[in-house]
Amino acid sequence: MGRSILRHVLCLDGTRSMKIILINGPPGSGKDTAANLIKRIGSAVVDYKMSKPLKEAFTKLLQIEGSMIPYFLEDHKDEKVPELGGMSPREVQIELSERFCKHLFGEDFFGRTAARAIYSTPAKVVTVSDAGFQVEVAPLMEQFKFANIYLLELHRDECNFDNDSRSYLDHSVFKPQNVAVIQNDFDMELFKAQIERTLTKWNFFLPSNPS
């Protein structure tokens, strides 16, 4: 009985007509900024992070709460901490991902988890602002259909994946017209204009969000 309930919870029934924008780029390239711009430009837009389960596991395991959550997960995520065995919070999350989650549940674990989470979201458009593992794309394409998955690839001078386990995604698995590459080396107004042009090109005629 318990096993059948678990299977029901972990499996999705049918597909949903949603547009998924995978935002892909190295640390510092503007992924979160792009997601926030898309949310402000349009309506019914929600951002999801592949790393959400890892961040939640990290804070629960170490009993981190309140203002200390952004301290470890954002402000000091690359700082070596003696209490973490000399690792940084980012390195601990990578270990949890590679040695535990993916080892036990498969390389596409976070893609499948994302598909379930996004499936239950009432939004019409979902941005994934930390995409970077090719194997995680397939579960999203299977659940939300090939034509509904878009890739927004960001580049910025001196930003790279040297200290990150992610990488640029393979363009060939996407519809050619669903791929956009933006060089984010200028001011915010130009970056916003590039995002708006991309959404127009993709026929994302999103109504303005008054907020």
Side-chain angles (χ1 to χ4, degrees), residues 100-120:
F100 180 73
C101 296
K102 293 182 181 179
H103 176 71
L104 288 179
F105 308 124
E107 291 291 319
D108 64 348
F109 170 73
F110 292 102
R112 289 185 281 114
T113 301
R116 289 197 301 274
I118 292 171
Y119 186 85
S120 62

mmCIF file of all heavy atoms in Angstrom, residues 100-120:
data_model
loop_
_atom_site.group_PDB
_atom_site.id
_atom_site.type_symbol
_atom_site.label_atom_id
_atom_site.label_comp_id
_atom_site.label_asym_id
_atom_site.label_seq_id
_atom_site.Cartn_x
_atom_site.Cartn_y
_atom_site.Cartn_z
ATOM 1 N N PHE A 100 25.598 11.850 -2.976
ATOM 2 C CA PHE A 100 24.402 11.297 -2.323
ATOM 3 C C PHE A 100 23.219 11.228 -3.283
ATOM 4 O O PHE A 100 22.822 10.143 -3.705
ATOM 5 C CB PHE A 100 24.040 12.130 -1.092
ATOM 6 C CG PHE A 100 22.824 11.619 -0.371
ATOM 7 C CD1 PHE A 100 22.885 10.455 0.384
ATOM 8 C CD2 PHE A 100 21.612 12.284 -0.465
ATOM 9 C CE1 PHE A 100 21.754 9.967 1.040
ATOM 10 C CE2 PHE A 100 20.478 11.809 0.179
ATOM 11 C CZ PHE A 100 20.552 10.649 0.944
ATOM 12 N N CYS A 101 22.691 12.401 -3.675
ATOM 13 C CA CYS A 101 21.459 12.412 -4.471
ATOM 14 C C CYS A 101 21.612 11.694 -5.806
ATOM 15 O O CYS A 101 20.848 10.775 -6.130
ATOM 16 C CB CYS A 101 20.999 13.848 -4.697
ATOM 17 S SG CYS A 101 20.531 14.708 -3.186
ATOM 18 N N LYS A 102 22.589 12.101 -6.602
ATOM 19 C CA LYS A 102 22.762 11.494 -7.922
ATOM 20 C C LYS A 102 23.248 10.062 -7.829
ATOM 21 O O LYS A 102 22.879 9.215 -8.655
ATOM 22 C CB LYS A 102 23.719 12.342 -8.765
ATOM 23 C CG LYS A 102 23.159 13.703 -9.134
ATOM 24 C CD LYS A 102 24.120 14.488 -10.008
ATOM 25 C CE LYS A 102 23.565 15.851 -10.357
ATOM 26 N NZ LYS A 102 24.504 16.642 -11.202
ATOM 27 N N HIS A 103 24.069 9.779 -6.827
ATOM 28 C CA HIS A 103 24.576 8.410 -6.651
ATOM 29 C C HIS A 103 23.442 7.446 -6.328
ATOM 30 O O HIS A 103 23.388 6.333 -6.864
ATOM 31 C CB HIS A 103 25.618 8.390 -5.536
ATOM 32 C CG HIS A 103 26.147 7.033 -5.209
ATOM 33 N ND1 HIS A 103 26.987 6.338 -6.069
ATOM 34 C CD2 HIS A 103 25.935 6.216 -4.144
ATOM 35 C CE1 HIS A 103 27.274 5.157 -5.526
ATOM 36 N NE2 HIS A 103 26.653 5.062 -4.367
ATOM 37 N N LEU A 104 22.519 7.875 -5.466
ATOM 38 C CA LEU A 104 21.428 6.988 -5.045
ATOM 39 C C LEU A 104 20.244 6.995 -6.007
ATOM 40 O O LEU A 104 19.626 5.960 -6.245
ATOM 41 C CB LEU A 104 20.942 7.392 -3.651
ATOM 42 C CG LEU A 104 21.866 7.087 -2.470
ATOM 43 C CD1 LEU A 104 21.231 7.580 -1.185
ATOM 44 C CD2 LEU A 104 22.137 5.588 -2.366
ATOM 45 N N PHE A 105 19.927 8.159 -6.552
ATOM 46 C CA PHE A 105 18.668 8.309 -7.278
ATOM 47 C C PHE A 105 18.822 8.536 -8.776
ATOM 48 O O PHE A 105 17.829 8.644 -9.481
ATOM 49 C CB PHE A 105 17.857 9.460 -6.673
ATOM 50 C CG PHE A 105 17.671 9.350 -5.183
ATOM 51 C CD1 PHE A 105 18.074 10.376 -4.343
ATOM 52 C CD2 PHE A 105 17.117 8.213 -4.620
ATOM 53 C CE1 PHE A 105 17.915 10.282 -2.976
ATOM 54 C CE2 PHE A 105 16.943 8.098 -3.253
ATOM 55 C CZ PHE A 105 17.352 9.137 -2.419
ATOM 56 N N GLY A 106 20.047 8.623 -9.259
ATOM 57 C CA GLY A 106 20.265 8.790 -10.694
ATOM 58 C C GLY A 106 20.709 10.195 -11.055
ATOM 59 O O GLY A 106 20.424 11.165 -10.359
ATOM 60 N N GLU A 107 21.434 10.296 -12.178
ATOM 61 C CA GLU A 107 21.992 11.570 -12.613
ATOM 62 C C GLU A 107 20.918 12.608 -12.919
ATOM 63 O O GLU A 107 21.159 13.807 -12.805
ATOM 64 C CB GLU A 107 22.865 11.355 -13.856
ATOM 65 C CG GLU A 107 24.138 10.593 -13.599
ATOM 66 C CD GLU A 107 25.137 11.382 -12.768
ATOM 67 O OE1 GLU A 107 25.287 12.593 -13.013
ATOM 68 O OE2 GLU A 107 25.754 10.787 -11.868
ATOM 69 N N ASP A 108 19.722 12.160 -13.310
ATOM 70 C CA ASP A 108 18.667 13.105 -13.664
ATOM 71 C C ASP A 108 17.738 13.430 -12.496
ATOM 72 O O ASP A 108 16.658 13.979 -12.687
ATOM 73 C CB ASP A 108 17.849 12.577 -14.846
ATOM 74 C CG ASP A 108 17.093 11.292 -14.506
ATOM 75 O OD1 ASP A 108 17.377 10.680 -13.443
ATOM 76 O OD2 ASP A 108 16.233 10.894 -15.315
ATOM 77 N N PHE A 109 18.161 13.090 -11.277
ATOM 78 C CA PHE A 109 17.321 13.274 -10.084
ATOM 79 C C PHE A 109 16.759 14.686 -9.966
ATOM 80 O O PHE A 109 15.568 14.884 -9.751
ATOM 81 C CB PHE A 109 18.110 12.923 -8.822
ATOM 82 C CG PHE A 109 17.419 13.305 -7.539
ATOM 83 C CD1 PHE A 109 16.318 12.581 -7.092
ATOM 84 C CD2 PHE A 109 17.850 14.388 -6.786
ATOM 85 C CE1 PHE A 109 15.667 12.939 -5.914
ATOM 86 C CE2 PHE A 109 17.210 14.747 -5.611
ATOM 87 C CZ PHE A 109 16.118 14.025 -5.174
ATOM 88 N N PHE A 110 17.609 15.696 -10.127
ATOM 89 C CA PHE A 110 17.142 17.070 -9.938
ATOM 90 C C PHE A 110 16.248 17.530 -11.077
ATOM 91 O O PHE A 110 15.364 18.374 -10.876
ATOM 92 C CB PHE A 110 18.342 18.010 -9.749
ATOM 93 C CG PHE A 110 19.067 17.775 -8.455
ATOM 94 C CD1 PHE A 110 20.256 17.068 -8.433
ATOM 95 C CD2 PHE A 110 18.540 18.223 -7.258
ATOM 96 C CE1 PHE A 110 20.914 16.816 -7.238
ATOM 97 C CE2 PHE A 110 19.191 17.990 -6.061
ATOM 98 C CZ PHE A 110 20.382 17.277 -6.044
ATOM 99 N N GLY A 111 16.428 16.971 -12.260
ATOM 100 C CA GLY A 111 15.524 17.265 -13.362
ATOM 101 C C GLY A 111 14.139 16.696 -13.097
ATOM 102 O O GLY A 111 13.118 17.357 -13.345
ATOM 103 N N ARG A 112 14.094 15.471 -12.590
ATOM 104 C CA ARG A 112 12.801 14.846 -12.269
ATOM 105 C C ARG A 112 12.117 15.566 -11.111
ATOM 106 O O ARG A 112 10.895 15.776 -11.115
ATOM 107 C CB ARG A 112 13.003 13.367 -11.942
ATOM 108 C CG ARG A 112 13.363 12.527 -13.157
ATOM 109 C CD ARG A 112 13.445 11.043 -12.831
ATOM 110 N NE ARG A 112 14.703 10.698 -12.188
ATOM 111 C CZ ARG A 112 14.830 10.263 -10.946
ATOM 112 N NH1 ARG A 112 13.751 10.129 -10.176
ATOM 113 N NH2 ARG A 112 16.010 9.958 -10.438
ATOM 114 N N THR A 113 12.908 15.955 -10.118
ATOM 115 C CA THR A 113 12.358 16.697 -8.988
ATOM 116 C C THR A 113 11.804 18.041 -9.443
ATOM 117 O O THR A 113 10.730 18.471 -9.009
ATOM 118 C CB THR A 113 13.451 16.917 -7.920
ATOM 119 O OG1 THR A 113 13.932 15.638 -7.484
ATOM 120 C CG2 THR A 113 12.905 17.677 -6.723
ATOM 121 N N ALA A 114 12.534 18.707 -10.334
ATOM 122 C CA ALA A 114 12.075 19.991 -10.871
ATOM 123 C C ALA A 114 10.776 19.825 -11.650
ATOM 124 O O ALA A 114 9.861 20.652 -11.529
ATOM 125 C CB ALA A 114 13.149 20.596 -11.771
ATOM 126 N N ALA A 115 10.685 18.762 -12.442
ATOM 127 C CA ALA A 115 9.468 18.530 -13.230
ATOM 128 C C ALA A 115 8.250 18.394 -12.325
ATOM 129 O O ALA A 115 7.182 18.947 -12.620
ATOM 130 C CB ALA A 115 9.641 17.281 -14.097
ATOM 131 N N ARG A 116 8.406 17.673 -11.210
ATOM 132 C CA ARG A 116 7.280 17.518 -10.274
ATOM 133 C C ARG A 116 6.915 18.845 -9.635
ATOM 134 O O ARG A 116 5.733 19.189 -9.504
ATOM 135 C CB ARG A 116 7.624 16.488 -9.192
ATOM 136 C CG ARG A 116 7.673 15.063 -9.689
ATOM 137 C CD ARG A 116 7.597 14.071 -8.530
ATOM 138 N NE ARG A 116 8.692 14.269 -7.573
ATOM 139 C CZ ARG A 116 9.901 13.720 -7.696
ATOM 140 N NH1 ARG A 116 10.167 12.945 -8.747
ATOM 141 N NH2 ARG A 116 10.831 13.922 -6.793
ATOM 142 N N ALA A 117 7.927 19.612 -9.205
ATOM 143 C CA ALA A 117 7.665 20.887 -8.549
ATOM 144 C C ALA A 117 7.019 21.883 -9.511
ATOM 145 O O ALA A 117 6.049 22.567 -9.162
ATOM 146 C CB ALA A 117 8.964 21.459 -7.991
ATOM 147 N N ILE A 118 7.536 21.967 -10.734
ATOM 148 C CA ILE A 118 7.011 22.912 -11.717
ATOM 149 C C ILE A 118 5.609 22.523 -12.147
ATOM 150 O O ILE A 118 4.741 23.375 -12.375
ATOM 151 C CB ILE A 118 7.963 22.994 -12.926
ATOM 152 C CG1 ILE A 118 9.291 23.645 -12.505
ATOM 153 C CG2 ILE A 118 7.330 23.774 -14.075
ATOM 154 C CD1 ILE A 118 10.373 23.570 -13.571
ATOM 155 N N TYR A 119 5.359 21.220 -12.246
ATOM 156 C CA TYR A 119 4.042 20.707 -12.660
ATOM 157 C C TYR A 119 2.929 21.229 -11.747
ATOM 158 O O TYR A 119 1.814 21.504 -12.204
ATOM 159 C CB TYR A 119 4.069 19.184 -12.637
ATOM 160 C CG TYR A 119 2.825 18.516 -13.164
ATOM 161 C CD1 TYR A 119 2.664 18.286 -14.525
ATOM 162 C CD2 TYR A 119 1.818 18.093 -12.299
ATOM 163 C CE1 TYR A 119 1.531 17.668 -15.015
ATOM 164 C CE2 TYR A 119 0.685 17.466 -12.776
ATOM 165 C CZ TYR A 119 0.529 17.249 -14.132
ATOM 166 O OH TYR A 119 -0.592 16.639 -14.611
ATOM 167 N N SER A 120 3.241 21.376 -10.465
ATOM 168 C CA SER A 120 2.228 21.813 -9.496
ATOM 169 C C SER A 120 2.159 23.335 -9.372
ATOM 170 O O SER A 120 1.372 23.853 -8.582
ATOM 171 C CB SER A 120 2.523 21.208 -8.116
ATOM 172 O OG SER A 120 3.771 21.658 -7.627
#
